[in-house]
Structures are given as structure tokens and as C-alpha cells.
Amino acid sequence: MKQKTSGQVILTTMLLCIAGTAGNYGLIRLSGGLGLGLFLDTVFTVMVTFSGGVWAGIVTALLSQATYSFADSYSWVYYLFSICSIASALLTRLFMRLFPKECAPVRLFNGRSPPERTAAEQPGKDSFFARMIMLFLLSLSMCVLISVLGGLIAAFLGLVLRSPVSDAPPETYFKLGLLRQGLSLTAAEILARLPVNLVDRFISVFGAYGVSLLLKRALQRKKPTKIY
């Protein structure tokens, strides 16, 4: 089957980044409008990383943060939270290297290194159970990583830059309760994010994988001779 040319890869990647940015913005607006208390700001960052690679995910993370900040007239300090989105893309890429066979069904491009390619192309299909384990581990890892990074950034904004973050419930309730228990602001910021991220990151990871899988299948049906 034909490989995509470099021009096609670049165009597809650009479209992925634009669509991913629009998707992230739409979900964060939906979450805010419905009062869900979830972030939902990296679902499509993870999806773009699954489909187009880590650099596409990083570009989507940066574009998404710029869109949030511009649309809501946020201070420049909120750009620090793009670190969390970038970390989501990097962690997803790490799991794609650790679980190449499980991630092969959602990859659009053959940009893998030789050892990774060899592992993904070994005989036999990955099992549904193996995919679920990979996604479960990625969700938990991302929950911890983003809670720690987000909490540290929020504490830095409040303690150093004197620009405290306006949290949405239920995160605010968790944080206030922890502060009343005598925890430091940094510890409270991190721990308050854990229960929110536990739900948020499972939605982000499983949702992203599902959308990536549907996207690749749709492209395969549309242009069977072009899929790689």
C-alpha cells in the first residue's frame, strides 16, 4: 500500500492540530457551560498525539492554551498551564513507545523507530484486554502527573506571582477542605486535583483513543489505497 508523501503528512498533521485545538476549546466550553467541574482540556491533545505523533500533540497543546487565554482574556501567567498539556502529549508518547502493538491501530503515520516498528509488526494482533490495561495505566499516570504539575503551577501563581487561580467546583471545595485541615497551599492544590483528574483523565485517555481509532478507520474506508 502507498505511503503518504511528506506533503500529505504535513497537511494532515496541520489539519489534526487545528481540529484538535477546536475540539479542546469546544469541550472546555461544554464542561463549563454544564457545570461539570472537569477540565476536559486535553482530550484532543492526547488524540492528536495518538494519531499524528508527539510534535503534533505539543503544537495542539500550545494552540489550545493560546485559544483559551485569548478567548477569555486570561493573563499571560495562565500560559504556564500549557506545561500540563505538553506533559500529557509527552506521557502519551512514552506509552506509545512502551506499548507499540496496542497503539498501532490508531497511528496514522509510520514514524516509528526501528525497535518500536519491529515490536508493533510482530505476528498476532494485540488483545482488547491489553489495550484496556494500557489505557488504564496511562489514565492513572496522567492523573498523578497532571495533578502534581497543575498543583505546583497553581501554588506558584498564588504564592510567588500573587495571581491565584480561580478554581471551579468541586476542586475549590476539595482545596478549601484541605486548607482547613492545615495543609500547605501547595499540598492542597495538588491533592484537590487528584479526584477531579481521576475522572477527567480517564475520559481524556479513553475518549482520545476511541476518536483516534474511529478517525483511522474512516480514512481507511475513504481511501483504502492511501492508508499506511
Side-chain angles (χ1 to χ4, degrees):
M1 288 184 290
K2 289 185 179 180
Q3 294 278 349
K4 278 187 178 290
T5 65
S6 58
Q8 288 175 314
V9 170
I10 292 172
L11 177 60
T12 302
T13 302
M14 290 174 60
L15 292 175
L16 274 175
C17 293
I18 294 171
T21 299
N24 280 336
Y25 184 74
L27 282 181
I28 198 171
R29 282 299 191 189
L30 178 65
S31 178
L34 296 177
L36 299 179
L38 298 174
F39 302 113
L40 298 182
D41 56 345
T42 59
V43 175
F44 284 92
T45 299
V46 177
M47 173 263 171
V48 170
T49 305
F50 274 135
S51 297
V54 66
W55 287 111
I58 290 173
V59 170
T60 302
L62 294 173
L63 287 176
S64 296
Q65 186 61 51
T67 302
Y68 309 148
S69 299
F70 178 79
D72 295 328
S73 301
Y74 286 152
S75 167
W76 66 269
V77 297
Y78 281 83
Y79 280 93
L80 291 174
F81 284 103
S82 63
I83 295 173
C84 295
S85 298
I86 293 171
S88 296
L90 293 174
L91 183 62
T92 301
R93 173 54 181 162
L94 174 61
F95 271 73
M96 291 172 73
R97 290 182 66 88
L98 294 174
F99 300 90
K101 188 180 293 292
E102 288 72 26
C103 293
V106 296
R107 295 193 64 134
L108 294 183
F109 312 128
N110 283 328
R112 295 167 288 184
S113 61
E116 188 180 352
R117 188 180 301 118
T118 300
E121 293 171 356
Q122 286 176 351
K125 294 184 178 180
D126 65 295
S127 69
F128 175 80
F129 186 64
R131 289 194 210 181
M132 292 302 102
I133 290 177
M134 184 274 292
L135 294 173
F136 180 80
L137 292 175
L138 177 56
S139 300
L140 285 181
S141 300
M142 198 171 290
C143 170
V144 174
L145 176 64
I146 302 306
S147 295
V148 171
L149 287 176
L152 290 175
I153 292 170
F156 176 76
L157 293 179
L159 296 174
V160 179
L161 299 184
R162 303 298 180 185
S163 298
V165 177
S166 299
D167 299 319
E171 184 183 338
T172 301
Y173 303 143
F174 292 144
K175 183 171 71 175
L176 291 176
L178 291 168
L179 289 173
R180 291 193 185 101
Q181 296 299 317
L183 271 70
S184 67
L185 178 62
T186 301
E189 291 281 9
I190 293 173
L191 293 176
R193 282 168 165 74
L194 283 172
V196 178
N197 274 318
L198 189 61
V199 177
D200 189 275
R201 300 304 150 177
F202 269 85
I203 294 174
S204 297
V205 170
F206 280 84
Y209 191 93
V211 173
S212 297
L213 193 62
L214 291 174
L215 174 63
K216 185 165 184 178
R217 288 179 178 176
L219 292 176
Q220 286 175 328
R221 286 195 296 268
K222 184 178 180 182
K223 296 182 178 181
T225 61
K226 296 287 187 178
I227 296 300
Y228 23 89

